[in-house]
Structure formats: C-alpha cells, structure tokens
C-alpha cells in the first residue's frame, strides 16, 4: 500500500512539474516578445501615462463576425454565412477607437434568417434585406483598410478576436465557398483569451467575453452577440489587458 501511495505521489508531482514548465515556457515566450517589441518598435520613453506598455503593432483591429444559425443553436446550418461584419480600428498607443467599419450582409444561400438567429443576435430580417452579399462587403472592407492607411507597408496592424472562430473557421469557409481570395492581412490575429489568461496568471480554457468583462469589473455594453456591440466590449477588455502591462501579439503563429 505504501509503495502504491508513493508512486501516486510521484506521478502527481511529475504532472505538476510538467504543468509548471509549460506555463513557464509560455510566460517566457511572451516576455521575450514584449522585450523585442519594446526595443524594435517604440521608444519606451515616448509612451504617455495611462496608455499601457509599448506594443509591436500600431493598430489593433477588433473584429467579431455574426453568422446564420438555426433554432437548435448547437447545430450550424450548412453553409454557415456571415451576416454582420464589424471592425474597430484601435490605436495601440492611446487605446482609443479611431475608425469603425460596420456592415450587415445578406446571405445568398439562406437569405431568410431564422427566429433563433434574430433572438440570439438581435439582427432582424429588415436589417439584412437589401444589404450587399459577402463578396461586396469584403471589397468594401478592403477599401476601408486602404482609406485608413492600414495597407501601408510602414503601418503594422493585428486583428484581435475573442476566440479563433472568426478568422480560423468562418472567414476561410466563406472565402472557399465563394471562391474568393482571402486577403493576407487576415492570416494573423490575437485570440484575446490568451493574453487574458497570462494577465490573470492562469489558463482559462473556457474564458468568454462576458467572463472577461466581469473579471475586470467592466459593464456589458449593448447586446451580447451583436457583432458591433461585442467589438466594443472586446476593445474594452483589450484596453484593460494592455493597461495591466501586457504586450499583444499574434497567437495563431
């Protein structure tokens, strides 16, 4: 019995050691990235009070798609289509929103929204009727990027999302289905759950936008699952994380 207990304790200690080493490697990687960003991109002495630490990027592009969904909720229609395309341009130094892109999208396969979809997102049939289809909206967004100077080689920007679904799943799926070229700027993003976990000192696998707001004592603005409202709330979480001294970097590469 004593031998069994000793082996169990040894296995538990080994598991804890591995977990500790994993967290240590993750924190070290982010610390090195922060140091690299500080020396390569921004002079620390130029950062004004209340603006957080210097960042690797000039702008954060906070994005949160909404898409068609059925009455069951847990089942996604095939294909699932983007119906709301919002994005906020956030200055990485001031952490203020400088420009907004927002467009509702008319689905082409199932143009009639379900009652569940409207109840969840607040997007009514009238809000998408007469709106452009996704290929046109994607072109409009590219024009917005260009107009805001975000396509200039000297300007560095990074998309910020709450989860990986927006840029890892639904956007590539829509581009593939519609035979569209996905712009290269969509290939890098920060899943805000990662810097949030590092900011609070532990990994939160099930962190959500609402739980992150609650952690920072930030009231929910608008309606949850409204794309544009979610973007505003994500931007507030982003600000809180940066002001705690964290560097935001790509989490998908």
């Amino acid at each position: 019995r004593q031998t069994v207990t000793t082996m169990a304790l040894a296995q538990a200690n080994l598991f804890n050691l591995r977990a500790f080493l994993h967290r240590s490697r993750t924190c070290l990687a982010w610390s090195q990235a922060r140091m690299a960003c500080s020396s390569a991109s921004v002079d620390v002495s130029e950062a004004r009070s209340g603006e957080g630490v210097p960042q690797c990027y000039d702008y954060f592009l906070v994005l949160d798609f909404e898409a068609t969904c059925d009455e069951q909720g847990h089942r996604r229609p095939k294909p699932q289509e983007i119906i709301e395309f919002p994005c906020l341009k956030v200055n990485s130094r001031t952490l203020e929103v400088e420009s907004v892109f927002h467009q509702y999208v008319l689905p082409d396969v199932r143009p009639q929204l379900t009652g569940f979809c409207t109840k969840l997102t607040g997007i009514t049939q009238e809000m998408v009727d007469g709106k452009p289809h996704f290929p046109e909206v994607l072109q409009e967004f590219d024009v917005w990027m260009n107009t805001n100077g975000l396509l200039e080689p000297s300007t560095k920007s990074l998309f910020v999302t709450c989860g990986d679904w927006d840029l890892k799943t639904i956007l590539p799926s829509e581009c593939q289905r519609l035979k569209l070229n996905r712009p290269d700027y969509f290939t890098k993003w920060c899943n805000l759950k990662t810097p949030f976990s590092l900011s609070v000192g532990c990994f939160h696998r099930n962190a959500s936008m609402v739980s992150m707001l609650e952690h920072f004592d930030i009231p929910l603005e608008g309606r949850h699952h409204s794309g544009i409202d979610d973007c505003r709330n994500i931007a507030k979480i982003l600000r809180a994380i940066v002001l705690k001294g964290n560097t935001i970097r790509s989490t998908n590469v």
Side-chain angles (χ1 to χ4, degrees), residues 57 61 63 157-169 171-172 182 184-192 248-253:
Y57 298 91
L61 305 177
L63 179 145
S157 60
L158 179 70
F159 285 95
V160 176
T161 59
C162 184
D164 292 318
W165 174 83
D166 301 271
L167 295 178
K168 184 178 181 179
T169 302
L171 180 69
R182 180 178 52 159
D184 289 340
Y185 49 70
F186 281 126
T187 58
K188 285 200 306 183
W189 66 89
C190 173
N191 176 352
L192 203 57
I248 304 301
R249 67 184 184 96
S250 173
T251 57
N252 70 305
V253 291

Side-chain angles (χ1 to χ4, degrees), residues 19 25 36 55 72-73 77 110 116 135 146-147 151 188 216 233:
R25 284 194 296 267
Q55 299 292 323
Q72 299 301 320
R110 293 182 178 81
F116 176 85
N146 187 49
T147 301
L151 302 184
K188 285 200 306 183
F216 289 118
N233 286 300

Side-chain angles (χ1 to χ4, degrees), residues 14-163:
L14 180 59
F15 176 82
N16 291 333
L17 178 60
R18 286 173 176 170
F20 171 78
L21 291 173
H22 176 73
R23 289 194 298 269
S24 298
R25 284 194 296 267
T26 302
C27 291
L28 177 60
W30 276 71
S31 297
Q32 290 172 336
R34 180 184 301 175
M35 291 174 64
C37 292
S38 299
S39 61
S41 301
V42 185
D43 183 352
V44 178
S45 63
E46 293 179 357
R48 294 190 291 273
S49 175
E51 295 178 349
V53 299
Q55 299 292 323
C56 301
Y57 298 91
D58 303 304
Y59 296 98
F60 299 125
L61 305 177
V62 180
L63 179 145
D64 189 84
F65 293 128
E66 297 301 328
T68 52
C69 48
D70 67 12
E71 285 81 355
Q72 299 301 320
H74 62 278
R75 292 191 316 189
R76 296 172 180 172
K78 296 182 180 179
Q80 191 172 27
E81 303 173 80
I82 292 174
I83 57 175
E84 186 180 6
F85 192 141
C87 185
L88 308 182
K89 175 189 175 186
V90 178
N91 187 304
S92 69
R93 286 175 58 82
T94 66
L95 302 175
E96 296 295 331
V97 176
E98 292 189 351
S99 183
V100 178
F101 178 86
H102 185 216
Q103 181 62 270
Y104 291 106
V105 185
L106 179 65
D108 59 280
V109 177
R110 293 182 178 81
Q112 191 71 30
L113 302 184
T114 65
F116 176 85
C117 187
T118 294
K119 183 178 180 180
L120 179 69
T121 65
I123 301 173
T124 64
Q125 191 63 44
E126 291 74 22
M127 293 165 74
V128 298
D129 282 344
K131 294 298 186 292
H133 293 297
F134 185 71
E136 300 168 66
V137 176
L138 193 61
Q139 289 180 353
E140 290 178 10
F141 182 73
D142 194 68
V143 170
W144 178 81
M145 290 280 288
N146 187 49
T147 301
N148 278 274
L150 295 167
L151 302 184
E152 295 292 332
S154 59
T155 301
K156 296 180 179 180
S157 60
L158 179 70
F159 285 95
V160 176
T161 59
C162 184

